Amino acid sequence: MQPPVRTMLLPGLRLTAVETRKFKTTCWSIQFVTPLEARTAPLNDLLPHVLRSGTARYPDPLSLSAALDRLSGGVVQPVSRQLGGVQGSGFLAYFPDPRFLPDAASSLEAQAKLLGDLLTRPATKNGRLRNTSLQEGFVQRKQALSHSQEPPGHYARRRMARALCRETPFFDPVEAFSNMKSISVSRLDRHYRTLLADSRIELFYCGPAPADQLRQVWTEALMDLPRRRPEGCPEPEPLPLLPDICRMTETLPGASPQLLVAFRAQNIPEGIALAAMLVSGAILEGFSASLPCQVHALLHPEKGVLVLQAEGGGGRQAADEEALCSLTERLRAGEFRLTELERARRQVISHLLAIEDSPQAMESFYFRQVTAPSLLAPDQLGLLVREVTAGDICRTAAGLTIDTIYTLAGEEA
Amino acid sequence: MSVEQRVFSSLGEVCYDEVLDWGFPIYVIPKAGFTRCSALLAVSLDSADGSEGEGTHVKDQIAAQVLPRVIVEQGSGSPFPLGGAGVVAGRDWTSYSFSALDRFPEALRALLRRVFDPDLSPEQVRRVRNKLAREGGKNGTFPDPGSQALIQAYRTFYRPERMVLCVSGGVDPRRVFSVARSISPPAQGREADSPSSQWAEAALPAACLTLEDWSLSFRLTVFDPAHPAGPLALRRICLARLCAQLLVGEGSPLLHDLQEEGLADLPLRVRHPDTGIPPLFLLAGKSRDPEALCRRLSEAAGAYARRLDRELFQRIRLRVYGRWLTSLDAPEQLCRQLVQGHFGGYQPLDFGQTLLSLTLEEIQAFCRETLAPALDPSAILISKGAIPL
């Protein structure tokens, strides 16, 4: 697998490409990346679902589906996600690698053309997005949100994210969906035109084609994109320092109890500090063998936040909370063995290398670096993890302060 | 026995297999450059006593539901500390699976030991029941079948010839075979009687519709009256998958119409059987009128039996091929396909070539013979009669 290549194709249009012959799938994503704002977040969230209903060339789902079939069963999914202070909305796509197809039934050019059309040349009526596309988009978005029942652990993480961002922009599509119905075609169309001209567009590719070929293919596919002055994206910022710990408690009948404690770092971790935070999380997970519940460490580097999530447990709020907090105290005091440090390092490195086993995981990994000034491949981050020392861990732990404590109770008290 | 090797040069894959001298089959597909490695140990639950009920081939409930829980919950702590392990009690097989990022051979050894030499004592069963009840409340409990019944079920089903181990990912195949050879065969399984009979074919309906809840979720199961084995089974599976996409896959006119009329939700889920023996074709989703939906499905299959556009046929065939190809990138999915192939008597990596060799006429014949008549409402069984349509 080659190191990732990042290159600007057009003003504000950036390609991140990973050349590899490891998979039978090529993975693409193309998305608008914008600052997360309360006014535009619902529009950005809905937009890819509306655009997915047809292009100028394939204006209805049936013809679009036929076009994907001709690309050997390609799959294009609308995606909308947030990362700290930015929001990405566009498409994630998979195509079988033409090397393994009978009669080379799919080509890079055709894939790029279709994806480019989906994002930039939608089906229109009287020059603007169609109302039927908007209605179809509502249906598709609702389906995507309600497709599966959300496990209590996921629900708790979503609510924790909401609590963490109490002073910063945050968008929860589940909460916001009912208000999305008030979005009109004209408003969405205006917003879409602005995005086309002014927003950053991020393109990702993981597959066998070299970067030079991708540059050529995409420059042609998007040559008539109406670009004005694409705006930048906000730099990642740590959470604002608030005087009090935020406590949030909810009840979800029948759910297994969840306790989440979010620790805020002083800075956004980069380089060896990021590696140390990853290893710290793994050591903390290892500590949980002594607790009556399973503890997961979840790192949000874009916010400089480490969340410890305890599932199950005794349901004794105060005792469980104390137990979780005491874990970081142990880290701070250096109360861990070198074998625990080595085990944690190995675990983190394995997880990082496993990212390179899945095109989708790679896409997600690089999206998390969309605002980073330089790219770090999983194996490069793994090399940094190898260098993390006990002193790095103690320093990381010393910089953590409790920001938010979230509790999900299974039964009504 | 020696390790057999089959090269699939057009796919860039090699499949290694060996049947150990005590009858235990093993398949390995290594994936170059992968860190993760997956293993799936499957136990066939094809009925050993010929019992039937409710129109489906009912499996031994103790073997299907209770044994896996007792086996996987042995010892203290996480059952497979080296990787996320899971046990799935399916309709056709029980699968014990895990993926590991490092120390895969150690994890594999732990899995095989646990399954091949389980503690089925009354104390162990009691301990597991208490543990599950503590962790999962009412949902975690299961009836106590008694230790003897459990041992009997284990002896009947957990026999080497009813099991298969499939491995795929970043591992040297020699290490997998070496670990498997170092494990003793299931101690209690070798002396048991052979499974007594096949399930009664006459009891199988052509199609079975189950209403799962008040929101009219439904599951449509079509059984293959031919239930062949070997390459013919693979051909039937290819036909079924192609027909499923043709009838209710993304962009199909029928699905579009059904959604427009409110007869189907988005999306209908096309499922495929665990083993490659019947059932052949499963469909799940929600509808305000599942019977009407099945009628429409049947009519559409009948229409395709009479006339099928060649361009559409080729396009859908390419779609199925492409989606199957991308599934080969996931070691977990490869393991599942290998298990299906083992129990169905075919090599799953032949799926693509078999699919490409299908003709339009074969599809039409399949629609005519298997789907059109089978989906006649008269063949649909409603298992929960109290639920109004």
Side-chain angles (χ1 to χ4, degrees):
Chain A
M1 193 169 289
Q2 301 290 322
V5 173
R6 230 180 206 182
T7 178
M8 292 301 277
L9 299 181
L10 290 170
L13 171 60
R14 187 169 63 174
L15 166 72
T16 302
V18 179
E19 184 184 343
T20 176
R21 295 185 161 251
K22 185 169 163 179
F23 305 112
K24 295 178 174 60
T25 312
T26 57
C27 175
W28 294 98
S29 70
I30 184 166
Q31 57 197 322
F32 298 116
V33 176
T34 54
L36 181 65
E37 293 171 2
R39 185 181 58 83
T40 55
L43 297 166
N44 290 331
D45 186 78
L46 183 62
L47 184 64
H49 297 271
V50 175
L51 297 179
R52 177 66 177 79
S53 64
T55 68
R57 192 170 174 204
Y58 305 111
D60 58 85
L62 297 189
S63 60
L64 189 52
S65 172
L68 284 165
D69 285 343
R70 283 188 285 274
L71 294 174
S72 308
V75 174
V76 178
Q77 300 164 343
V79 285
S80 175
R81 49 198 164 173
Q82 61 182 299
L83 181 84
V86 300
Q87 188 177 20
S89 58
F91 300 101
L92 185 61
Y94 306 97
F95 297 95
D97 185 337
R99 289 178 299 149
F100 300 99
L101 290 171
D103 310 324
S106 178
S107 74
L108 198 67
E109 290 77 9
Q111 294 170 13
K113 176 92 177 75
L114 185 62
L115 274 176
D117 280 1
L118 272 166
L119 197 76
T120 65
R121 297 180 196 93
T124 55
K125 187 175 179 186
N126 300 327
R128 67 180 194 188
L129 295 172
R130 301 172 306 185
N131 194 44
T132 50
S133 300
L134 181 66
Q135 298 312 318
E136 177 71 12
F138 283 135
V139 173
Q140 295 291 343
R141 187 65 186 118
K142 188 178 177 190
Q143 283 288 335
L145 288 172
S146 61
H147 192 57
S148 56
Q149 203 172 5
E150 191 176 28
H154 288 197
Y155 174 81
R157 286 201 282 277
R158 188 160 59 80
R159 300 297 291 161
M160 169 55 107
R162 148 68 74 203
L164 271 171
C165 297
R166 57 198 178 278
E167 299 290 332
T168 52
F170 181 77
F171 176 71
D172 184 340
V174 178
E175 281 178 12
F177 181 74
S178 56
N179 293 331
M180 280 189 210
K181 292 225 159 179
S182 64
I183 294 173
S184 66
V185 169
S186 55
R187 188 174 160 215
L188 187 66
D189 188 76
R190 267 198 313 278
H191 178 66
Y192 171 60
R193 304 292 160 196
T194 310
L195 288 179
L196 274 182
D198 296 336
S199 91
R200 251 176 68 181
I201 299 178
E202 286 285 339
L203 188 59
F204 172 83
Y205 172 82
C206 173
D212 285 346
Q213 190 185 356
L214 295 170
R215 263 194 291 272
Q216 189 182 345
V217 163
W218 276 98
T219 309
E220 281 172 21
L222 296 178
M223 64 182 359
D224 54 352
L225 191 64
R227 303 301 277 163
R228 282 194 302 238
R229 229 169 359 110
E231 54 189 48
C233 275
E235 293 288 312
E237 282 181 16
L239 286 175
L241 194 60
L242 299 171
D244 298 317
I245 294 173
C246 169
R247 287 181 181 275
M248 187 173 176
T249 301
E250 293 183 303
T251 302
L252 193 66
S256 60
Q258 308 279 332
L259 173 66
L260 286 82
V261 179
F263 298 89
R264 187 186 53 227
Q266 287 164 338
N267 300 303
I268 298 292
E270 288 174 1
I272 193 77
L274 174 61
M277 209 145 167
L278 286 166
V279 178
S280 300
I283 296 177
L284 290 168
E285 285 183 341
F287 283 167
S288 72
S290 61
L291 299 179
C293 54
Q294 188 75 26
V295 174
H296 304 287
L298 315 157
L299 183 60
H300 301 280
E302 72 282 359
K303 286 279 181 198
V305 169
L306 177 70
V307 177
L308 291 186
Q309 176 172 20
E311 295 196 60
R316 294 167 303 134
Q317 164 73 17
D320 293 343
E321 197 179 304
E322 197 182 320
L324 272 193
C325 295
S326 72
L327 297 183
T328 52
E329 291 299 327
R330 280 177 64 187
L331 268 196
R332 197 169 299 168
E335 291 174 8
F336 53 89
R337 291 189 295 273
L338 284 179
T339 51
E340 289 175 301
L341 172 62
E342 180 49 34
R343 187 196 60 81
R345 275 196 297 236
R346 212 176 52 225
Q347 185 183 322
V348 172
I349 290 169
S350 294
H351 277 107
L352 286 169
L353 293 179
I355 289 170
E356 296 186 341
D357 286 356
S358 152
Q360 187 168 8
M362 298 264 282
E363 196 279 335
S364 180
F365 180 81
Y366 286 110
F367 175 70
R368 287 197 293 275
Q369 299 183 57
V370 78
T371 55
S374 60
L375 276 180
L376 209 52
D379 57 344
Q380 291 169 321
L381 187 50
L383 289 176
L384 290 177
V385 167
R386 235 182 267 280
E387 292 171 16
V388 170
T389 62
D392 293 328
I393 299 297
C394 296
R395 274 190 294 281
T396 299
L400 296 176
T401 49
I402 298 177
D403 182 275
T404 305
I405 297 173
Y406 172 85
T407 309
L408 181 68
E411 301 290 340
E412 206 63 72
Chain B
M1 295 279 188
S2 60
V3 177
E4 301 273 329
Q5 174 185 332
R6 191 169 162 200
V7 180
F8 297 83
S9 50
S10 64
L11 297 172
E13 304 283 6
V14 181
C15 180
Y16 299 85
D17 70 270
E18 180 180 11
V19 181
L20 299 187
D21 54 9
W22 44 278
F24 181 51
I26 302 161
Y27 297 82
V28 185
I29 298 183
K31 304 290 283 183
F34 275 61
T35 301
R36 195 172 73 241
C37 192
S38 300
L40 195 160
L41 174 63
V43 182
S44 170
L45 294 177
D46 262 353
S47 178
D49 60 4
S51 63
E52 293 295 333
E54 298 272 336
T56 58
H57 52 306
V58 171
K59 311 301 182 190
D60 187 302
Q61 292 303 305
I62 296 171
Q65 302 296 332
V66 183
L67 258 178
R69 294 196 193 187
V70 175
I71 287 173
V72 86
E73 292 291 343
Q74 292 175 81
S76 59
S78 173
F80 302 102
L82 296 178
V87 56
V88 176
R91 284 163 53 92
D92 295 320
W93 73 53
T94 293
S95 64
Y96 300 87
S97 62
F98 74 93
S99 292
L101 298 170
D102 60 358
R103 297 166 69 199
F104 176 82
E106 289 92 325
L108 180 62
R109 188 173 285 114
L111 171 72
L112 293 177
R113 282 197 178 137
R114 198 170 286 244
V115 176
F116 286 174
D117 190 17
D119 177 1
L120 302 178
S121 65
E123 296 74 32
Q124 167 66 5
V125 176
R126 199 160 38 245
R127 199 186 63 76
V128 173
R129 288 184 78 221
N130 289 343
K131 183 182 173 196
L132 292 175
R134 219 171 31 243
E135 290 174 357
K138 284 180 183 172
N139 294 333
T141 60
F142 60 83
D144 185 356
S147 188
Q148 278 311 307
L150 214 54
I151 290 169
Q152 185 54 44
Y154 185 84
R155 286 183 173 182
T156 305
F157 288 96
Y158 284 62
R159 301 165 55 83
E161 68 274 19
R162 298 176 70 86
M163 301 163 97
V164 61
L165 171 67
C166 299
V167 172
S168 180
V171 69
D172 182 342
R174 287 171 297 190
R175 295 208 66 183
V176 175
F177 292 116
S178 161
V179 168
R181 287 186 200 115
S182 71
I183 300 289
S184 305
Q188 303 172 69
R190 302 193 73 191
E191 298 165 7
D193 295 329
S194 297
S196 58
S197 65
Q198 294 295 311
W199 35 272
E201 290 169 25
L204 277 177
C208 172
L209 180 69
T210 310
L211 295 182
E212 290 171 337
D213 56 39
W214 285 91
S215 61
L216 295 186
S217 294
F218 70 94
R219 193 172 63 227
L220 169 72
T221 311
V222 178
F223 294 98
D224 188 351
H227 57 85
L232 195 53
L234 180 58
R235 201 162 189 85
R236 301 283 289 179
I237 288 167
C238 289
L239 284 165
R241 290 203 185 172
L242 206 154
C243 280
Q245 284 296 326
L246 196 60
L247 286 165
V248 290
E250 185 189 331
S252 89
L254 173 65
L255 182 63
H256 181 260
D257 291 349
L258 291 172
Q259 286 161 356
E260 289 280 300
E261 296 164 32
L263 277 173
D265 69 346
L266 275 171
L268 282 174
R269 284 166 293 146
V270 178
R271 292 175 173 172
H272 298 292
D274 279 347
T275 57
I277 55 172
L280 183 65
F281 180 92
L282 301 114
L283 193 64
K286 286 182 181 173
S287 172
R288 62 177 166 77
D289 188 349
E291 280 196 311
L293 186 147
C294 288
R295 268 198 303 276
R296 298 286 294 279
L297 211 57
S298 171
E299 286 164 10
Y304 282 131
R306 288 187 294 278
R307 186 175 178 284
L308 175 57
D309 180 63
R310 187 164 296 277
E311 192 274 333
L312 177 64
F313 158 69
Q314 288 172 340
R315 182 159 67 71
I316 301 293
R317 189 173 61 174
L318 197 55
R319 177 200 295 178
V320 177
Y321 184 89
R323 300 220 172 141
W324 167 75
L325 197 60
T326 56
S327 77
L328 302 183
D329 279 337
E332 298 87 350
Q333 289 199 39
L334 253 179
C335 287
R336 276 192 75 78
Q337 291 185 31
L338 283 168
V339 172
Q340 288 163 356
H342 174 76
F343 288 133
Y346 59 85
Q347 167 52 257
L349 291 179
D350 286 333
F351 182 93
Q353 284 307 315
T354 308
L355 184 78
L356 293 176
S357 72
L358 294 183
T359 63
L360 184 141
E361 291 72 26
E362 274 180 283
I363 292 290
Q364 287 185 295
F366 187 82
C367 282
R368 186 167 50 247
E369 291 157 17
T370 306
L371 298 181
L375 302 181
D376 185 283
S378 64
I380 291 173
L381 302 182
I382 309 295
S383 69
K384 293 181 182 176
I387 296 177
L389 281 170

